[in-house]
Amino acid sequence: MVEVVSEVSGDPQTSGQPAAGCISPQNQPVSVSQIQTTVDTKHPSSEVDEKLRHTPNTRASSAMGQHDSAEYVTIGEVPTPPADNFKKVSVLPLIFLIFYEVSGGPFGVEDSVQAAGPFLALLGFLVFPFIWSIPEALITAEMGTMFPENGGYVVWVASALGPYWGFQQGWMKWLSGVIDNALYPVLFLDYLKSAIPALGGGWPRIFAVLALTLVLTYMNYRGLTIVGWVAVLLGVFSILPFVVMGFVSIPKLKPSRWLVVNMNHVDWNLYLNTLFWNLNYWDSISTLAGEVENPKKTLPKALFYALILVVIGYFFPLLVGTGALPLDRELWTDGYFSDIAKLLGGVWLRWWIQAAAAMSNMGMFVAEMSSDSFQLLGMAERGMLPEFFSKRSRYGTPLIGILFSASGVLLLSWLSFQEIVAAENFLYCFGMILEFIAFIRLRMKYPAASRPYKIPVGTVGSILMCIPPTILICVVLAISSLKVAVISLVAVVIGLVMQPGLKYVEKRRWLKFSTSANLPDLHNDSSLR
């Protein structure tokens, strides 16, 4: 096989590369390692060839702090279309992509009333965002603008703690995302089974899950901009019936119903897991940062508006449902909002809520699958996964990542709603602990690095901000069932073993690994430390 060496860096005076401490045309700091690469390219060609023969992987490792001077390109190989060739996601679609990554509407919050009653359910969706959602969204805004590339939190952790822990972060968050995505066909069918009883179980349900997964997977394949604007349309359609239901319910509202609480009959496990599941995943959008138009400004703005939209989207329907009808906690389970709509407005409103639930679950599915698949692409661009994961379709989408994510959804869709929520929460908690550590460590390790959006607190403030969500993580982990804990810990162990296994595969050259030369890098100059 013939190989051609394509130069990544050249003489700064001839290639236009800026000197140390300057800003590159892509507005990325030029690191010391890049300057060293420039020096290497001045060596005689025979010396460069000798160095390349002794380099196991010709890669430019960004956040890991190393740059080699060349990369191999096989003659006859069709290159993957550059990401810049595809249309980027603007702020409005990004808001609704975040909305669907996190929420998608109030579908799935009913269990909070069953677990704890109206007062605690309403209080939870007001207080919980301050404990969890706001800190996570702020960290995502800062880190996502610091590393505006696909891979998101994987890159943050790898930059702070090294590639081994970056891989563990990617494995746990990808797996929790796929588990989370397996919920949406379940919720979709739960809302329709009251109108179509055959979808409640058996072969009709299995075929419905399969068909729904295939259709939505194809939508992801066709392009992220399509997914973004579909999310906007689905979001508007999903929110409107609850606005109508609110107006219809006004004559029937009794504020005293909102204050009902019985501390002796609270299922804390179900309550906390429901709150946690409905208000997390703010960081998932970071894995799409490379596909966002001007992410350094767009990402923080979109997170802010999405946060407002999500909190109102939960609190208002709960306020209506608990205030307009007498309380029967046993009825508050998946799909109950459609029954409330029928009691308040009639069959037409029930059908609208059911259709909105179906559309919402479609939106959450495509948004989550986009995040999961682009995360795998970002990991491949960092050399953590085989190179074929970084290949894009003609629509700019990560084909292999989409197929892997869809396969995981199909394998897990047989689990119940509560089992899925508990399992993905457990894995998600481990990943968030790594994120908090990475956030604080990067604040300490690179205090002067470029942060287009920076949370206005110092190192001590950063640590204090992470304490309440970390305590919450410990509580969620502590109350998990033994079955969920065992399954989740087995999944964690698989990741711990998988990374050395992939490194062995890379060393033996059984699969091709490479790192993109166009990724941003932290400035490694000592003056920034």
Side-chain angles (χ1 to χ4, degrees):
M1 180 176 67
V2 181
E3 294 178 322
V4 177
V5 178
S6 62
E7 297 297 332
V8 175
S9 302
D11 191 321
Q13 295 181 355
T14 59
S15 66
Q17 187 76 10
C22 297
I23 302 299
S24 69
Q26 291 77 27
N27 294 322
Q28 299 300 333
V30 178
S31 67
V32 172
S33 59
Q34 288 176 301
I35 303 304
Q36 183 62 44
T37 299
T38 302
V39 175
D40 289 343
T41 59
K42 296 181 180 180
H43 289 196
S45 60
S46 60
E47 185 177 348
V48 173
D49 291 342
E50 180 68 16
K51 290 176 67 178
L52 289 174
R53 283 195 294 271
H54 288 85
T55 303
N57 294 292
T58 53
R59 59 178 62 176
S61 176
S62 64
M64 276 33 96
Q66 61 184 30
H67 276 264
D68 295 326
S69 61
E71 60 178 342
Y72 288 116
V73 179
T74 304
I75 290 180
E77 180 179 319
V78 180
T80 299
D84 292 340
N85 289 354
F86 302 102
K87 190 175 180 180
K88 301 288 187 177
V89 179
S90 58
V91 64
L92 182 61
L94 190 63
I95 290 170
F96 279 89
L97 281 173
I98 298 171
F99 173 71
Y100 276 119
E101 293 276 11
V102 177
S103 167
F107 314 105
V109 305
E110 297 98 331
D111 282 326
S112 64
V113 179
Q114 182 188 93
F119 179 75
L120 288 181
L122 291 168
L123 184 65
F125 281 101
L126 284 181
V127 174
F128 198 91
F130 290 94
I131 300 174
W132 183 268
S133 300
I134 292 175
E136 187 184 8
L138 288 172
I139 291 172
T140 300
E142 177 171 320
M143 303 299 290
T145 56
M146 190 178 181
F147 297 95
E149 61 177 281
N150 298 326
Y153 38 69
V154 177
V155 181
W156 314 344
V157 175
S159 300
L161 305 176
Y164 179 82
W165 290 109
F167 180 88
Q168 303 311 317
Q169 172 75 351
W171 164 246
M172 287 185 289
K173 295 301 282 286
W174 178 81
L175 188 58
S176 70
V178 171
I179 294 172
D180 181 64
N181 225 11
L183 277 173
Y184 304 129
V186 173
L187 286 173
F188 176 86
L189 296 177
D190 282 346
Y191 266 88
L192 291 185
K193 68 183 180 184
S194 60
I196 309 175
L199 296 178
W203 285 106
R205 187 180 181 91
I206 293 173
F207 283 126
V209 169
L210 180 62
L212 182 64
T213 302
L214 291 177
V215 170
L216 298 180
T217 299
Y218 178 73
M219 188 181 296
N220 272 95
Y221 166 72
R222 285 301 302 267
L224 187 59
T225 52
I226 292 177
V227 170
W229 284 107
V230 167
V232 174
L233 296 175
L234 294 178
V236 173
F237 182 80
S238 299
I239 293 170
L240 277 178
F242 290 98
V243 176
V244 173
M245 191 169 73
F247 283 113
V248 171
S249 70
I250 290 176
K252 301 178 182 180
L253 289 176
K254 293 183 179 181
S256 60
R257 292 170 176 164
W258 297 327
L259 304 178
V260 176
V261 60
N262 187 344
M263 299 300 293
N264 296 322
H265 292 86
V266 177
D267 184 343
W268 292 105
N269 189 5
L270 179 60
Y271 175 65
L272 290 177
N273 270 312
T274 302
L275 287 174
F276 191 64
W277 175 67
N278 280 287
L279 286 164
N280 63 17
Y281 277 86
W282 296 93
D283 59 340
S284 292
I285 201 65
S286 67
T287 64
L288 306 172
E291 312 300 312
V292 174
E293 180 183 304
N294 192 12
K296 295 179 180 181
K297 292 184 177 180
T298 303
L299 186 59
K301 185 186 299 184
L303 282 163
F304 173 75
Y305 289 118
L307 180 63
I308 296 173
L309 184 62
V310 166
V311 173
I312 294 175
Y314 284 144
F315 188 77
F316 181 74
L318 277 175
L319 204 65
V320 171
T322 56
L325 297 175
L327 177 64
D328 186 344
R329 284 173 55 171
E330 295 303 317
L331 296 177
W332 281 86
T333 186
D334 309 330
Y336 186 54
F337 272 123
S338 62
D339 295 330
I340 294 174
K342 181 181 178 182
L343 293 172
L344 293 178
V347 176
W348 66 273
L349 188 55
R350 177 185 184 179
W351 276 100
W352 193 1
I353 292 287
Q354 288 177 333
M359 297 301 102
S360 175
N361 283 287
M362 289 174 61
M364 288 188 285
F365 187 100
V366 294
E368 183 63 53
M369 181 169 284
S370 295
S371 176
D372 296 341
S373 57
F374 273 101
Q375 179 198 316
L376 296 181
L377 182 145
M379 292 177 70
E381 288 180 338
R382 287 281 174 179
M384 296 181 185
L385 292 175
E387 187 183 56
F388 60 79
F389 278 98
S390 66
K391 300 297 183 183
R392 293 174 182 258
S393 71
R394 59 177 175 161
Y395 303 107
T397 50
L399 178 60
I400 303 301
I402 288 173
L403 292 176
F404 265 71
S405 299
S407 300
V409 168
L410 290 174
L411 289 173
L412 294 167
S413 59
W414 56 272
L415 294 172
S416 72
F417 178 85
Q418 286 80 9
E419 287 175 325
I420 293 174
V421 169
E424 70 94 2
N425 279 352
F426 202 97
L427 289 169
Y428 188 82
C429 285
F430 280 121
M432 287 309 304
I433 290 173
L434 287 177
E435 278 186 39
F436 293 153
I437 295 172
F439 167 64
I440 294 169
R441 180 166 172 76
L442 287 172
R443 273 293 188 98
M444 298 172 68
K445 188 177 180 181
Y446 299 104
S450 174
R451 289 174 171 83
Y453 175 84
K454 185 175 182 179
I455 305 171
V457 294
T459 301
V460 174
S462 301
I463 295 172
L464 293 175
M465 186 178 71
C466 292
I467 290 176
T470 302
I471 293 173
L472 178 64
I473 284 174
C474 294
V475 173
V476 171
L477 293 176
I479 64 177
S480 297
S481 68
L482 180 61
K483 177 184 175 181
V484 169
V486 170
I487 293 174
S488 301
L489 289 173
V490 168
V492 171
V493 171
I494 290 173
L496 296 175
V497 175
M498 190 187 304
Q499 199 271 350
L502 286 173
K503 298 305 292 184
Y504 181 78
V505 168
E506 179 182 6
K507 183 178 180 181
R508 298 299 298 248
R509 298 181 183 272
W510 292 341
L511 289 173
K512 185 178 180 182
F513 290 72
S514 64
T515 300
S516 172
N518 300 317
L519 296 176
D521 185 15
L522 275 178
H523 199 310
N524 290 314
D525 194 294
S526 60
S527 65
L528 294 182
R529 297 177 183 272

